[in-house]
Structure formats: C-alpha cells, structure tokens
Amino acid sequence: MYIEVNREIQLVRRPSGIPVPEDFRIVTTPISVLKDGEVLIKNSWMSVDPYMRGRMLDRKSYIEPFALNETLSGGAVGQVMESSNPKFPVGSKVANMNGWREYFTTEGSDLQPLPETEIPDQAFLGVLGMPGMTAFTGLTKVARIKEGDTVFVSAASGAVGAIVCQIAKLKGCFVVGSVGSEEKAQYLKTELGIDAVVNYKTTENLQESISQACPQGIDVYFENVGGEHLEAVLNLMNDYGRIAVCGMIDQYNVTSPKAGPTNLSQIIIKKLTIQGFIIFDHWNEYPAFVTQMTQWIQQGKITAKETVYEGIEQATEAFIGLFTGKNIGKMLVKLS
Amino acid sequence: MYIEVNREIQLVRRPSGIPVPEDFRIVTTPISVLKDGEVLIKNSWMSVDPYMRGRMLDRKSYIEPFALNETLSGGAVGQVMESSNPKFPVGSKVANMNGWREYFTTEGSDLQPLPETEIPDQAFLGVLGMPGMTAFTGLTKVARIKEGDTVFVSAASGAVGAIVCQIAKLKGCFVVGSVGSEEKAQYLKTELGIDAVVNYKTTENLQESISQACPQGIDVYFENVGGEHLEAVLNLMNDYGRIAVCGMIDQYNVTSPKAGPTNLSQIIIKKLTIQGFIIFDHWNEYPAFVTQMTQWIQQGKITAKETVYEGIEQATEAFIGLFTGKNIGKMLVKLS
C-alpha cells in the first residue's frame, strides 16, 4: 500500500453560466485495497474538455449527465502502481476515462494500454486522443475536405482547432482561423503557418473580416463556436459547402436561450450540408487514426501545443479556463 | 396570325413583406410575327411557386433576381399554335419556363415536349413537375428515408408537402404533417391517409403537439417552413436524424431579420444532418422520376389536388395566396 491518499473533484452544484470554483469541491479518500484481478492506477495527466460542460447540465444528451456530489470523469493517462491482473503489469501505462482523480482501482476492462512510442503520454489526451481524432474525422469524414478548399475554423487555436488547421494545410487547403487574442493569432500564423487569422474580439465586423480573409469564400466550416460566427459564415459559404459541427462553445454557458442565426435560408440558397458529429460514434476508426497521426507527428508535420495546469487542485481552474480563453492548444492538468 | 393580343405580368416594385397587387402590373403586347424556325406557344396553365418570392428580391441567390418592369417567368404548359420548326408541329404540347404570359415565340430550345399520357397537362407543373420531383428527391436522395422512419412534413398540404406525405407513406414511413387550417388537416387525414396532423395555427404549444403526434420522435424532417417549426422539430429529432431543407416560407416575407432557433446545439447532441437542396441540381434524374411517378399515379397510389385560379389577371392573387394559406395542393393559374 502507498501512504498517499487519493484526491478527486466532485460536482456539488450545476453551474449557471460560466462555472465557478464553488460549483466543485475536492475530496480526499483512502486508496482501496486491491481485490483479486484488480490493478491500482495513478493518473499522471488528466484532460479538461469543453464537452464536459454539457454533462454538468441535468438534461438528456448523447452522454449521461454528471451526478451531483459524485466524482467527475473524463480522459486521463496513468501508470499501473500495483497489479493482480497479469494483463496490466506494474509500470505499464494506460489511457482511461477516470480523470478528475489521482488514483483508482479497476479490474481493467476500462483501460487502454498506451502504445510504445517516443511521443509523450499526454499526447493521448490531445493530438493522439479524442481532440485529434475529432479534428481528423470532422475534416475528412464529415466535411470531406479536398485540395484547394477554403477551410474556416473557429476556436482555431484550441485542442481541436489547432489540429484541424494543420490537417487542412497538409491536405492542401487554404486555411483561415478565428481566435480571441493576438497571442493565439501569432501562434497560428507563425508556428502553424495557416493562411489568415481573424481576431473576433478586436474586429468591428466579424463577417467583413472573415470575408477579407477568405477571398474565395468558404467551402468547409469546422464549427466549434456557434452564434455570431455561424451567422457570419453562412453568408460567406460557397455553393455545396459543408459545415462539420463539432461544438458550439458560445452556447454552453448561456443562462437563457440565445437566438440563432437569422439567415438559415442560406442553407437552401447555397445547398449547404450541416452535420453534427460525436467522436465516440467513429471510435472503431481510432487505430487507423493513431497510425496516421503518429506518422505525421514523427515527420514533424503536426505539432501539438499544450497549456498545462499543475496539480489536481488546479483542475477546476483549468476547466473554467476553457471558457475564458486561457488555453492555446490542449488544456491539460498534470497530476503530481 | 391570331387576332388575340398577349397579356403578361410584370414586376414593378420589389415587395416588402407579403406581396400586394400594386407590386405587379398586367401589360398587353402584340404577338410577334414568327421568324423562320420559330414557334408560337399559347400557355394553357402557369405555375405560381413560393420560390418565386426569393427572385423578387435584389440579391445573389441560386437563380437570377427578376428585373423590374420586365415580365416574370416560371413554369407553364402550353400548345404550339403556329410553327415553322418541324420539331414542334402545330397542336403539340410543351412545358416551358415562360409562364406569367399567355403567348410567346421561341426557336424551341427552351421547350420540353409533354409525353403522351392520360394525365392532365397541368400535372407537369405539379406532381409530375418541379414540386413532385422536389418531394421525391428530398425524401429519397437528400433525407434517405427508410421503412419505419417517422417523417414530419411542414406545409404538408402544399404542392410539395402533399406529395412528400404520399411518397413517405408508400415507402412505409409513419407520416405526420403540419398545416394551417382544419380543411387542410382533413384533406391529409381522410384523402391522403397520413398518420397524424398538427394544425399549427390552433395549437397552443407547437412542440408539444408535434411530440404527441410523433410518439417515436422524428427521424426525417422535410422542411418547408423554418422558424418556430424548425426550433420545435430540433428538440424532437432522433439521433442521426436528417433534415432536408426544401424551403423556409416563414422567412420569405420578413421585412427585418428574424432570429433563428435557439437550440442549434441539438445538431451536435443528436448528430443531425441538415441539407439544403435545389431541385435544378438533380434535373438529370427527372426522366426516371417521371417514369416512377406516372406509374404511381396510374396505380392510384399518388393523387394530386389542385387549387386553380382562372385567367392571367388572377395570377397575382394566386401568387399572393401562396403566402396566405389559400392553396391545397398545387396552386395553378388556368389561362383562357
């Protein structure tokens, strides 16, 4: 037995608007004694992702809501500390969906062994994990990008957006992103080399700025934001354009219903296809994705920036930071 | 030469809101003398369709705007009265896009000969024409209906909607429509035999009424209306639902931008596909459609109701009536 105790984060109140620290609490629990066949995992990294905000509401959705006064969950990577399951020897590394806690025990059916690569473990929460897979699937399978397309990406410097930008460039697209700070704009332009960036916080006319940045119109919109972005983009889409709807972060923290775009008739006029998707539906293609993405990373064609908060006591701040523009690239919590 | 003169309808002012008679004028012109190779057509029926409202605006769209002080155009069927073109002998019947006028001359490249059937000529403006083809394509190709789907149709008693209802029933779907009068509701229930009808004008809660009429949720929405209908339906769609966007008649006469649905995030939650389409893009499949639809009509499986105004001087009223609920089935103008 380890002398450490486990710390985990619980939801104590359903957030109204942008979550605040008081919606959460940190609790300390003893680490369970292993039963036969079980393993003890110590998480080394945990993920915070915008989709978790939806699970904090008590509503029917594609995934169960989080229960109050119970420990949150989400993606994490960790290491086997003790084992009475020969499939998971001590020291082996695993991805799991038991984030928001430092330790847990399991018989192992919910663990995915990490492949042996030189890529850091936490990449499996970002570029090689759900966000990377979301970017890849949304672009190639949902939006069916092709060489020469103009691809516009909102929240373009986020965990998903930054990978979308890079894959679209690799595929020969003209890539334009929107972000909320000059630092993020610089990252996209200088480090990722995309074609143009719009700072939606400083522009006086979002549609006009996007229009200038996309002189050939928009063939594919990778939608992470919703709201005013969607309205502007609808007016700028080319005929037969495709909108892959990954997220609408603009809507996640509204406290009263927010009116939608006034111009949905553009869907007819331009013969658009708008398709929502949830990455879990495509998970059977994850192994092929990992192979492709690992190659791109090793060839230096895709890079992945991270924003790291240290310690589980920072997890709540990291999560809140997703909605206040704090991250460039993947937002992660490094557990001690 | 005939002693008659030609009458035609021109647009003299771009309508604001629902069109009014003063937006149009009727003009009398002499009938041109035939040049070599030309034919003289007398239109017997002309079509008025909601999409024409969009062409009355001065904006970029999938089709050129109507010019002011020029004659409108649209679908029509007629007969060759004089001919110096052997391809179109006197007495032969043709479909054409030169509606809103009684006579015209042409060298013939814009004429489609009507096939020999016992089906009345004007069916080629409705069930066997653009509206029927729109219903068929939207359901089978865009929304990809399958047996057992619940299909919800707005403007369900209109030229397109009533055909949508019948094809969906033929394909083994559970079919629910919304309409704006009891007479229309009766037509759908008793004559077309659809499963349930919602009268959106008398219900106090549109979403609740649609929900009760669709106990299994909605798999396919054939969208003719937009606005409040779309918002209600988004909340009731099943996972992987498809929305074929044919029209948004709710938006055609707005004088200031009308807010869209507040719940577009349902697109993600339910992994919906929303696709706009314009029937002209699918016109290469028209011959196959005519074969199939003719068979259905001859077998008595599809019936087509018409609302007929008499005389070109009634064309404007017929057109305006599209937006004030005047038609059941296809709205037509019979030319004398």
Side-chain angles (χ1 to χ4, degrees):
Chain A
M1 277 300 298
Y2 289 78
I3 53 165
E4 286 113 301
V5 290
N6 170 51
R7 292 181 297 171
E8 47 193 47
I9 310 282
Q10 298 187 336
L11 184 70
V12 294
R13 187 173 70 181
R14 302 206 177 277
S16 170
I18 293 179
V20 294
E22 294 71 29
D23 298 327
F24 307 89
R25 72 174 167 209
I26 190 161
V27 299
T28 302
T29 66
I31 295 172
S32 311
V33 175
L34 279 197
K35 298 196 193 92
D36 197 39
E38 284 191 337
V39 295
L40 172 69
I41 307 296
K42 181 179 185 179
N43 280 330
S44 49
W45 295 85
M46 61 164 272
S47 181
V48 289
D49 300 277
Y51 83 87
M52 295 172 176
R53 179 65 182 88
R55 296 190 67 185
M56 293 176 186
L57 299 173
D58 188 16
R59 67 160 183 202
K60 186 176 178 291
S61 184
Y62 58 90
I63 187 168
E64 283 295 294
F66 289 125
L68 287 183
N69 301 311
E70 291 190 15
T71 302
L72 296 165
S73 60
V77 293
Q79 197 163 18
V80 177
M81 307 303 286
E82 292 185 28
S83 178
S84 77
N85 178 336
K87 280 199 280 184
F88 298 98
V90 169
S92 62
K93 291 175 174 179
V94 291
N96 66 78
M97 286 302 289
N98 291 311
W100 296 88
R101 74 201 77 196
E102 293 176 308
Y103 292 90
F104 64 98
T105 58
T106 169
E107 31 61 72
S109 66
D110 54 349
L111 302 177
Q112 293 82 43
L114 291 189
E116 296 278 342
T117 76
E118 289 173 8
I119 299 168
D121 300 344
Q122 70 273 23
F124 288 90
L125 301 177
V127 61
L128 280 172
M130 196 182 65
M133 173 80 177
T134 299
F136 182 76
T137 303
L139 278 178
T140 61
K141 200 168 158 187
V142 180
R144 305 181 307 285
I145 51 166
K146 49 188 198 310
E147 197 176 332
D149 277 346
T150 291
V151 176
F152 179 70
V153 192
S154 52
S157 66
V160 175
I163 308 301
V164 168
C165 288
Q166 294 176 81
I167 295 174
K169 282 303 294 176
L170 271 178
K171 298 279 187 183
C173 300
F174 184 86
V175 180
V176 178
S178 85
V179 295
S181 79
E182 277 314 303
E183 184 191 3
K184 292 173 180 176
Q186 281 307 314
Y187 164 61
L188 292 181
K189 275 188 279 196
T190 59
E191 291 188 49
L192 302 191
I194 75 170
D195 298 287
V197 183
V198 170
N199 182 337
Y200 73 88
K201 284 200 177 151
T202 55
T203 180
E204 289 186 4
N205 184 328
L206 181 62
Q207 182 178 321
E208 183 56 32
S209 296
I210 299 173
S211 177
Q212 283 172 11
C214 301
Q216 309 294 318
I218 298 171
D219 301 298
V220 165
Y221 175 35
F222 197 102
E223 165 69 297
N224 290 312
V225 167
E228 196 191 350
H229 272 83
L230 180 56
E231 178 146 356
V233 169
L234 282 169
N235 287 333
L236 300 172
M237 291 295 290
N238 292 328
D239 281 1
Y240 311 105
R242 291 87 68 202
I243 301 182
V245 188
C246 167
M248 288 192 174
I249 201 166
D250 216 27
Q251 316 292 310
Y252 295 174
N253 293 299
V254 296
T255 50
S256 58
K258 208 167 168 179
T262 60
N263 57 347
L264 289 181
S265 57
Q266 295 293 325
I267 297 171
I268 312 168
I269 293 171
K270 277 120 171 223
K271 301 154 270 193
L272 305 179
T273 301
I274 303 180
Q275 188 175 345
F277 69 108
I278 300 291
I279 198 59
F280 305 123
D281 285 344
H282 303 269
W283 212 250
N284 62 327
E285 292 162 43
Y286 180 67
F289 159 75
V290 169
T291 302
Q292 172 65 83
M293 184 57 83
T294 301
Q295 193 179 53
W296 280 337
I297 294 171
Q298 286 168 340
Q299 293 168 342
K301 291 179 175 170
I302 300 256
T303 63
K305 211 176 175 83
E306 296 165 355
T307 299
V308 177
Y309 282 58
E310 300 252 354
I312 196 165
E313 63 279 11
Q314 295 292 322
T316 305
E317 281 306 322
F319 177 67
I320 294 169
L322 292 170
F323 306 106
T324 54
K326 293 290 197 297
N327 61 307
I328 297 188
K330 178 68 190 121
M331 181 73 107
L332 289 165
V333 182
K334 187 174 194 311
L335 303 178
S336 53
Chain B
M1 276 301 297
Y2 291 78
I3 54 164
E4 287 112 302
V5 290
N6 170 51
R7 291 181 298 170
E8 48 193 44
I9 310 283
Q10 297 186 336
L11 183 70
V12 293
R13 185 172 72 180
R14 303 206 177 276
S16 170
I18 293 180
V20 294
E22 294 71 29
D23 297 329
F24 306 90
R25 73 174 168 211
I26 190 162
V27 299
T28 301
T29 66
I31 295 171
S32 312
V33 175
L34 279 197
K35 298 196 194 93
D36 197 38
E38 283 190 339
V39 296
L40 172 69
I41 307 296
K42 180 178 185 180
N43 280 329
S44 49
W45 294 85
M46 62 165 271
S47 181
V48 289
D49 300 277
Y51 82 88
M52 295 171 174
R53 179 65 181 87
R55 296 189 68 184
M56 292 176 185
L57 299 172
D58 188 16
R59 65 160 184 204
K60 186 176 176 294
S61 185
Y62 58 90
I63 186 167
E64 283 294 295
F66 290 125
L68 287 182
N69 301 312
E70 291 192 13
T71 302
L72 296 164
S73 60
V77 292
Q79 196 162 20
V80 178
M81 307 303 285
E82 292 184 29
S83 178
S84 76
N85 179 336
K87 280 200 280 186
F88 298 98
V90 169
S92 61
K93 292 174 173 178
V94 291
N96 65 79
M97 286 302 290
N98 291 311
W100 297 89
R101 75 202 75 196
E102 295 177 307
Y103 292 90
F104 64 98
T105 58
T106 169
E107 32 58 72
S109 65
D110 53 350
L111 302 177
Q112 294 80 44
L114 291 189
E116 295 279 342
T117 77
E118 289 172 9
I119 299 168
D121 299 345
Q122 71 272 24
F124 288 90
L125 301 177
V127 60
L128 279 173
M130 195 182 67
M133 174 79 177
T134 299
F136 182 77
T137 304
L139 277 178
T140 59
K141 200 168 158 188
V142 179
R144 304 179 308 284
I145 51 166
K146 49 188 197 309
E147 197 177 331
D149 277 346
T150 291
V151 175
F152 180 70
V153 191
S154 53
S157 67
V160 175
I163 309 301
V164 169
C165 288
Q166 294 176 82
I167 296 174
K169 282 304 295 176
L170 271 178
K171 297 279 187 184
C173 300
F174 184 88
V175 181
V176 178
S178 85
V179 295
S181 80
E182 277 313 303
E183 185 191 4
K184 292 174 181 176
Q186 281 307 315
Y187 163 61
L188 292 182
K189 274 188 278 196
T190 59
E191 291 189 50
L192 302 191
I194 75 170
D195 297 287
V197 183
V198 170
N199 182 336
Y200 73 88
K201 283 201 178 150
T202 56
T203 181
E204 290 187 1
N205 183 327
L206 182 62
Q207 183 178 321
E208 184 56 32
S209 296
I210 300 174
S211 177
Q212 284 172 11
C214 301
Q216 308 294 318
I218 298 170
D219 300 299
V220 164
Y221 176 35
F222 197 102
E223 167 69 297
N224 289 312
V225 167
E228 197 191 350
H229 272 83
L230 180 56
E231 177 145 355
V233 169
L234 282 169
N235 287 333
L236 300 172
M237 290 296 290
N238 292 328
D239 282 1
Y240 310 105
R242 290 87 70 202
I243 301 181
V245 189
C246 167
M248 288 192 173
I249 200 167
D250 216 28
Q251 317 291 311
Y252 296 173
N253 292 300
V254 297
T255 49
S256 58
K258 208 167 168 180
T262 61
N263 57 349
L264 289 181
S265 57
Q266 295 292 326
I267 297 171
I268 312 167
I269 292 171
K270 279 126 170 216
K271 300 152 270 194
L272 305 178
T273 301
I274 303 179
Q275 189 175 345
F277 69 106
I278 299 291
I279 198 59
F280 306 123
D281 286 343
H282 304 269
W283 212 250
N284 62 327
E285 292 162 45
Y286 180 68
F289 158 76
V290 169
T291 303
Q292 171 66 82
M293 184 57 83
T294 301
Q295 193 179 53
W296 280 336
I297 294 170
Q298 287 169 339
Q299 292 168 342
K301 290 180 175 170
I302 299 254
T303 62
K305 212 176 175 83
E306 296 166 353
T307 299
V308 177
Y309 283 58
E310 301 253 354
I312 197 165
E313 62 279 12
Q314 295 292 321
T316 304
E317 281 306 322
F319 177 67
I320 294 169
L322 292 170
F323 306 106
T324 54
K326 292 289 196 297
N327 60 308
I328 297 187
K330 178 68 190 123
M331 182 74 106
L332 289 165
V333 182
K334 188 173 193 314
L335 303 178
S336 53

